[in-house]
Amino acid sequence: MDMDNPQDVDAAFWAQMLGVTISDERPAPDSPLGRVRAFTERYGEDALRPEHIRAAVEGRPLPPPE
């Protein structure tokens, strides 16, 4: 994060307000975000649907694209 960049400063401020952490590192592969990223790397972003996000958050396998 470049704290001389106004957008990065703004993002850091709001992340702190919301209680989240912004990271440049890849998410853990078994985390919901890691699973969604692996899905989009394999099938592309256009294949991602709301049901994939729900499945990732709930810990279920992500269904293959239609």
Side-chain angles (χ1 to χ4, degrees):
M1 208 168 241
D2 177 7
M3 294 315 259
D4 291 326
N5 179 331
Q7 285 184 318
D8 284 353
V9 171
D10 195 37
F13 171 79
W14 286 108
Q16 184 178 16
M17 295 300 295
L18 295 171
V20 297
T21 302
I22 296 176
S23 174
D24 292 329
E25 298 176 16
R26 293 183 63 81
D30 59 342
S31 71
L33 181 56
R35 295 173 59 225
V36 168
R37 287 188 64 166
F39 178 90
T40 58
E41 287 172 4
R42 182 172 182 183
Y43 298 111
E45 292 179 11
D46 291 339
L48 189 63
R49 302 283 181 254
E51 58 267 19
H52 296 109
I53 303 298
R54 276 192 297 277
V57 169
E58 293 171 0
R60 295 183 289 113
L62 276 63
E66 298 174 358

